[in-house]
Amino acid sequence: RGTPFGGGGGGLTPARSEAGYSVAGLSSVGSEFGRTPSRDAFGINEADNWSDVSGLPPAAAKRLQKQRREALAAQLAALPAPSNEYKIVMPELEPAESGEGEGDGLYPDGFEEDAQDTLERQDAAAEAERQAELAKRSAALRRELPRPLVVNREEMLAPPSGADAAGLDAAEEIRAADQLLRAEMVRMLEADAASYPVPGAPELKGKKRRPLRPLPEEDMAAASAMLDEETASLAAAAPPLDEASVRAAAEAAGGELSYVPSLQRYAPIASVPPAEALQAPQQALQLLKNFMARDAKRAGKAEKKLDVLLGGYKKRAAALGKEIEAQHAAVAERRIELACFEALRGREALAGPQRAEELSELLSVQTSKEEELQARYAELLRTRDSLRQQLRTRAEAA
């Protein structure tokens, strides 16, 4: 039986027959050529599955893969070289008739508007609209001047007291004009507070005031001209004040007003009883304490955040500081050693010639002594040789 599938000659192992060996699915030897089961080094019978080299020996598989890579490389090398040539073709657009294309993203000549130009045009239109809207606001909003957190209608509409009231009693028309100005000022402050609230202001209770109806530009221009004319006349009638005078007047005016807790508003100090006037500085002190506590709390939170954020940098800075101190100490020690060696070199430079002279004298003395000893030694050698000669002669004579 053939293996591994069994079933007679149905396996992959060649089965022996009378005509020779045969493989499943192929005719026996002698009828026609069949597929060689193994050792097909040249891949003759791999027309259908030429990429499978699992049945070949390792050397033959490597050789076959190398031949295939070389053939593929030769085919790729025969391909034509790429040419980097570009040709831009613009469609010919017919010019639009006069009046067409305006307002729909097209230029007057009918071509489509560039995206960047569209954005710039839209930004310019939005900026012009914003400037036009800003021009309709009050001067306090346009110039970003400080505004009160709470508009005190009763205090602002109250008639002046004291000398001012006596002066206004003499001219009822001036008093009426002052009341009209105060009422208009309160209306403007309330409208601005409703439409553009001040940061930190309490929420308005009740029905909010509607925005003021914008005045015609001609009336606004006429009012501005009248104000400029009156300002110029006042400036010509009275000399301009210097900065010191203005500051002194502002401090004096601010010192006359104070926040009275019992009245819950600012009032002149002279118009309230002494007990209530004494509460004003106490209230200011308590307010400052509250501000200090709030700022201290914020500072503590900021310090904690900075400690978390800069903790690694602080440790790194401390380590580098210790390293720098160690380097400074090493540099100081090396400087001390350098100073010692420089001092030693100076002394050696002074004592060197003297030592050399002393050594030269010793050398000359030693040289002369050696010469004397050498001469003495040579003379003794001659005496010895002479005595030996005499003894040799006497011995021969005897």
Side-chain angles (χ1 to χ4, degrees):
R1 295 178 59 161
T3 56
F5 301 100
L12 295 180
T13 304
R16 184 177 179 85
S17 62
E18 296 180 357
Y21 291 92
S22 64
V23 183
L26 299 178
S27 60
S28 60
V29 178
S31 60
E32 61 179 6
F33 292 100
R35 187 179 62 177
T36 306
S38 63
R39 287 193 290 274
D40 190 2
F42 295 99
I44 298 175
N45 298 321
E46 292 185 359
D48 297 333
N49 192 14
W50 59 272
S51 60
D52 186 12
V53 294
S54 58
L56 300 178
K62 290 181 179 179
R63 184 171 63 254
L64 182 58
Q65 290 178 357
K66 182 179 179 181
Q67 292 175 357
R68 291 172 180 171
R69 286 195 298 269
E70 292 177 353
L72 181 60
Q75 294 176 359
L76 293 177
L79 295 176
S83 58
N84 298 325
E85 296 180 358
Y86 301 95
K87 185 177 181 181
I88 300 176
V89 179
M90 293 291 294
E92 296 182 359
L93 300 178
E94 296 181 0
E97 298 181 359
S98 59
E100 295 183 1
E102 298 181 359
D104 55 356
L106 299 178
Y107 286 113
D109 55 0
F111 293 99
E112 186 176 357
E113 185 179 14
D114 187 70
Q116 184 67 23
D117 297 340
T118 303
L119 292 178
E120 292 179 358
R121 179 172 54 80
Q122 293 175 356
D123 293 343
E127 180 64 19
E129 184 178 356
R130 191 183 70 82
Q131 292 295 335
E133 178 66 23
L134 186 62
K136 298 179 182 179
R137 300 179 186 176
S138 62
L141 293 175
R142 291 198 306 268
R143 301 170 59 184
E144 298 182 357
L145 298 177
R147 294 181 293 155
L149 296 177
V150 178
V151 180
N152 195 337
R153 170 180 283 270
E154 292 76 11
E155 182 67 22
M156 292 182 179
L157 294 179
S161 60
D164 294 337
L168 289 175
D169 288 339
E172 295 295 336
E173 293 181 357
I174 297 180
R175 176 192 291 182
D178 181 75
Q179 287 299 115
L180 288 176
L181 288 176
R182 288 173 178 270
E184 184 66 19
M185 179 181 64
V186 171
R187 286 181 60 197
M188 292 181 62
L189 289 175
E190 290 178 349
D192 290 344
S195 300
Y196 311 99
V198 181
E203 186 176 358
L204 297 178
K205 297 181 179 180
K207 186 177 180 181
K208 295 184 179 180
R209 177 176 290 275
R210 295 180 180 179
L212 297 178
R213 180 175 58 85
L215 298 176
E217 296 183 359
E218 295 80 6
D219 296 346
M220 293 295 296
S224 299
M226 293 175 61
L227 288 176
D228 295 339
E229 183 179 356
E230 185 175 358
T231 303
S233 62
L234 291 176
L241 299 177
D242 55 353
E243 185 179 356
S245 301
V246 174
R247 184 179 293 108
E251 291 178 357
E256 295 178 358
L257 294 176
S258 181
Y259 182 79
V260 182
S262 59
L263 302 178
Q264 294 186 356
R265 62 181 177 85
Y266 283 88
I269 296 295
S271 63
V272 296
E276 295 181 356
L278 184 61
Q279 294 177 358
Q282 295 177 354
Q283 177 71 14
L285 179 61
Q286 184 63 33
L287 186 61
L288 292 177
K289 288 183 178 179
N290 295 338
F291 286 156
M292 290 178 59
R294 182 196 63 185
D295 294 343
K297 188 175 180 180
R298 291 179 179 177
K301 291 183 179 179
E303 288 180 357
K304 291 181 180 178
K305 290 181 179 179
L306 288 177
D307 290 339
V308 174
L309 180 62
L310 305 178
Y313 293 105
K314 288 182 179 180
K315 293 181 180 179
R316 181 61 177 167
L320 292 177
K322 293 181 180 179
E323 186 176 353
I324 290 173
E325 291 178 358
Q327 295 294 335
H328 276 294
V331 169
E333 185 178 356
R334 296 298 181 272
R335 286 178 179 175
I336 294 174
E337 293 180 359
L338 178 61
C340 293
F341 281 111
E342 287 180 350
L344 181 61
R345 194 189 80 164
R347 294 178 183 177
E348 290 293 334
L350 295 176
Q354 184 178 359
R355 289 183 180 180
E357 186 177 357
E358 292 178 358
L359 291 176
S360 299
E361 293 178 356
L362 290 175
L363 179 61
S364 60
V365 171
Q366 189 67 22
T367 302
S368 59
K369 186 182 292 185
E370 288 291 337
E371 290 177 353
E372 293 178 359
L373 290 176
Q374 289 293 335
R376 176 66 177 167
Y377 180 70
E379 185 177 358
L380 289 176
L381 286 178
R382 287 193 297 272
T383 303
R384 186 196 65 179
D385 294 341
S386 176
L387 292 175
R388 284 181 178 179
Q389 185 66 27
Q390 291 178 6
L391 289 175
R392 193 180 298 108
T393 304
R394 289 180 182 181
E396 290 178 355

